[in-house]
Amino acid sequence: VTISREFGSGGRTVGKEVAAKLGIPCYDSELIERIAKESGLSKEYIEKYGEYATSDRLYDNAMGGRDRDWQSVADKMWLAQKKVITDLAEKESCVIVGRCADYILREADNCLTVFIHASDDQRADRIVSVYGQREEAPAQRLHDKDKKRKAYYELYTGTQWGQADNYDLCLDSGKIGIQGCVDIIARLYQTCQQSA
Amino acid sequence: VTISREFGSGGRTVGKEVAAKLGIPCYDSELIERIAKESGLSKEYIEKYGEYATSDRLYDNAMGGRDRDWQSVADKMWLAQKKVITDLAEKESCVIVGRCADYILREADNCLTVFIHASDDQRADRIVSVYGQREEAPAQRLHDKDKKRKAYYELYTGTQWGQADNYDLCLDSGKIGIQGCVDIIARLYQTCQQSA
């Protein structure tokens, strides 16, 4: 099961609860450590750039990679990320949150890809209650994070982030609720297992 | 419950079966008759243009509406479509397939909006088995229909067709199966009813 999510949609919580319900592991921040080990890059670097592309770096990239160092490091990280995720998925059933896992595992037969989203208002409320107030307004924080995740996803996958076609299942966690999302995903997983 | 769907994804069948399972009416081709009555336009016209925008008409529209007749007739149809759908949704619980109903009912509290899609290969197989062979290749038929539905949706709603954010729930009917989609939607509808 792979879970992509808009910032503040509660996708990470959904992933953890689905994994707990199904009795399988959930990889989220644990991935960072594994990618660091695989690539030799620092955990801090992977945390900062592993899902986010910043506009100046994208610009450099578009201009033919003037910042060649960044490009090669980013590509190295992408390859490590791909290897770690493919290995985990081959080894056992698991939930993987973020990091373009849906794209990396798109050819896998028995992979369920999920996208979790919610309205801006509901996500703004959630990030303030989960991560606390920041100097930057919640709406701005959402906008920045989404933009960088979207840019990273599109740079490495060549497909559109949040386009329904790219996922087996997309859920509005604000409308359906975290628990509702968990129930739908867990039930679908069990149905797929039975028919496999 | 509103159901938007890619051509050949089986969204109409899903809608009918959800309605049957929940014991509520499903409006699909029945809408055409009602819109015809409301607008005074012919059923043929509504069938042809009620969900589809053709590129030459969009072009005229973009150029400031040289084809004013078409524009005013199309707008008249849109207003009738909006009224018919709003009235139906106010009167009783129902399933409405297509016709931008998700957008028209976006402010309604107790509306569940669903988008059904499937891979091109699976849709091509389905349209051949459901509608039979045509002179035009299945891939071309899919492409044309999707393009016109998408253009119509975007012209009248100003938002993007098939973008996960616009729906409560998006399902890949090729992966999950028609019956799987029906089960998820019906169960979610019942949960929403209980909590309402």
Side-chain angles (χ1 to χ4, degrees):
Chain A
V1 183
T2 69
I3 298 192
S4 310
R5 74 287 181 222
E6 288 181 345
F7 181 57
S9 67
R12 183 194 299 221
T13 308
V14 170
K16 283 192 180 148
E17 294 193 13
V18 166
K21 193 159 181 172
L22 297 173
I24 59 178
C26 177
Y27 298 106
D28 170 20
S29 46
E30 298 82 352
L31 286 174
I32 295 172
E33 210 148 316
R34 288 170 186 255
I35 297 166
K37 216 169 157 188
E38 178 69 33
S39 65
L41 297 167
S42 74
K43 281 198 274 184
E44 291 70 26
Y45 181 89
I46 293 159
E47 207 156 6
K48 192 159 177 199
Y49 295 116
E51 290 188 290
Y52 306 109
T54 58
S55 52
D56 55 325
R57 288 176 192 275
L58 283 175
Y59 176 78
D60 281 344
N61 199 61
M63 294 308 284
R66 275 192 298 166
D67 189 351
R68 288 233 162 261
D69 279 350
W70 175 74
Q71 213 187 338
S72 64
V73 172
D75 286 350
K76 195 173 170 186
M77 178 175 66
W78 171 253
L79 291 174
Q81 191 159 315
K82 211 166 146 178
K83 184 169 187 317
V84 165
I85 288 173
T86 311
D87 288 353
L88 284 174
E90 269 175 12
K91 209 183 67 190
E92 60 183 345
S93 296
C94 59
V95 175
I96 299 176
V97 178
R99 295 183 187 275
C100 308
D102 58 298
Y103 178 79
I104 292 170
L105 299 175
R106 71 197 177 287
E107 307 285 349
D109 282 337
N110 48 1
C111 179
L112 186 63
T113 58
V114 182
F115 182 75
I116 308 279
H117 58 92
S119 71
D120 288 1
D121 287 351
Q122 278 165 315
R123 295 193 291 136
D125 287 350
R126 188 177 166 91
I127 62 170
V128 170
S129 75
V130 174
Y131 306 108
Q133 289 282 0
R134 296 272 170 86
E135 205 178 316
E136 216 185 349
Q140 190 58 44
R141 286 159 65 191
L142 289 180
H143 179 78
D144 289 351
K145 280 260 193 182
D146 282 349
K147 201 170 137 189
K148 288 175 192 167
R149 278 189 191 169
K150 190 174 157 68
Y152 184 83
Y153 188 88
E154 290 171 10
L155 176 62
Y156 275 100
T157 71
T159 69
Q160 221 183 327
W161 195 65
Q163 180 70 21
D165 275 343
N166 292 335
Y167 309 92
D168 299 327
L169 180 67
C170 304
L171 300 166
D172 182 333
S173 60
K175 182 81 175 271
I176 297 170
I178 300 283
Q179 200 49 53
C181 292
V182 171
D183 290 345
I184 290 173
I185 300 166
R187 206 174 280 123
L188 189 55
Y189 172 92
Q190 285 160 338
T191 314
C192 292
Q193 290 289 96
Q194 279 159 15
S195 65
Chain B
V1 182
T2 70
I3 298 191
S4 309
R5 74 290 181 222
E6 288 181 347
F7 180 57
S9 67
R12 182 194 302 219
T13 308
V14 170
K16 285 195 178 144
E17 294 194 11
V18 166
K21 194 161 180 172
L22 296 173
I24 59 179
C26 177
Y27 297 106
D28 170 20
S29 46
E30 297 82 351
L31 286 173
I32 294 172
E33 210 148 318
R34 286 170 189 254
I35 296 165
K37 216 169 158 188
E38 177 68 34
S39 65
L41 297 167
S42 75
K43 281 199 275 181
E44 292 68 28
Y45 181 90
I46 292 159
E47 208 156 2
K48 191 159 178 198
Y49 295 116
E51 292 187 289
Y52 306 109
T54 58
S55 52
D56 55 323
R57 286 174 194 277
L58 283 174
Y59 176 78
D60 281 342
N61 200 61
M63 294 309 283
R66 274 190 301 165
D67 189 351
R68 288 234 161 262
D69 279 350
W70 176 74
Q71 214 187 335
S72 63
V73 173
D75 287 349
K76 194 174 171 187
M77 179 176 64
W78 171 253
L79 291 174
Q81 191 159 314
K82 210 166 148 178
K83 184 169 186 316
V84 166
I85 290 173
T86 311
D87 288 353
L88 283 174
E90 269 175 12
K91 209 184 67 192
E92 60 184 342
S93 296
C94 59
V95 175
I96 299 176
V97 178
R99 294 179 190 275
C100 307
D102 57 298
Y103 178 81
I104 292 170
L105 300 175
R106 71 196 177 288
E107 307 284 349
D109 283 336
N110 46 2
C111 178
L112 185 63
T113 58
V114 182
F115 182 75
I116 308 279
H117 57 93
S119 72
D120 288 2
D121 287 351
Q122 280 166 313
R123 294 193 292 137
D125 287 350
R126 189 177 164 89
I127 62 171
V128 170
S129 75
V130 175
Y131 306 107
Q133 290 282 359
R134 298 269 170 88
E135 205 178 317
E136 215 185 350
Q140 191 58 43
R141 285 161 66 192
L142 289 180
H143 178 78
D144 290 350
K145 280 259 192 182
D146 282 349
K147 202 169 135 191
K148 289 176 191 167
R149 278 188 190 169
K150 190 174 155 70
Y152 184 82
Y153 188 89
E154 291 172 11
L155 175 63
Y156 276 99
T157 71
T159 69
Q160 221 183 325
W161 195 63
Q163 180 70 22
D165 276 343
N166 292 336
Y167 310 92
D168 299 327
L169 181 67
C170 302
L171 300 165
D172 183 332
S173 60
K175 183 81 176 269
I176 297 170
I178 300 283
Q179 200 49 53
C181 293
V182 171
D183 291 344
I184 291 173
I185 300 167
R187 207 176 278 125
L188 189 55
Y189 172 92
Q190 284 159 337
T191 314
C192 293
Q193 290 290 94
Q194 279 158 14
S195 64

